[in-house]
Amino acid sequence: LINDDYTPMEFVVETIQRFFNKSLEQATQIMLQVHTKGMGVCGVYPRDIAETKRNQVINYARDSQHPLQCLIEPD
């Protein structure tokens, strides 16, 4: 996930829990990493799963009117 100045922290935490199956504590830690370092890793997946998760996050954020961005990078 990539930090932006508009998406609420609570939405980021909820998104991480929803799409990456993280606990509240894990999701909060990832959100804080995104907030302080500019980006954070939500998981390592095979390419097809990573692409699906990225698309789900972007569509969910868009539907919720947030500019949250998610990208995939090779490991």
Side-chain angles (χ1 to χ4, degrees):
L1 297 179
I2 301 172
N3 190 43
D4 64 69
D5 294 331
Y6 305 101
T7 306
M9 292 180 185
E10 296 82 13
F11 181 81
V12 175
V13 169
E14 189 263 325
T15 300
I16 294 167
Q17 288 181 286
R18 177 182 290 233
F19 295 105
F20 299 99
N21 300 313
K22 302 294 184 185
S23 68
L24 177 59
E25 183 176 321
Q26 291 170 316
T28 301
Q29 289 301 314
I30 294 169
M31 177 277 296
L32 289 172
Q33 185 179 38
V34 171
H35 183 68
T36 59
K37 297 186 179 186
M39 66 174 25
V41 176
C42 295
V44 178
Y45 302 96
R47 177 175 283 284
D48 58 334
I49 294 172
E51 289 173 350
T52 298
K53 288 187 178 292
R54 176 197 58 204
N55 294 340
Q56 289 173 327
V57 167
I58 290 172
N59 289 335
Y60 182 64
R62 228 181 256 149
D63 290 346
S64 301
Q65 299 181 342
H66 294 298
L68 182 65
Q69 290 296 308
C70 182
L71 62 89
I72 58 174
E73 295 180 340
D75 185 26

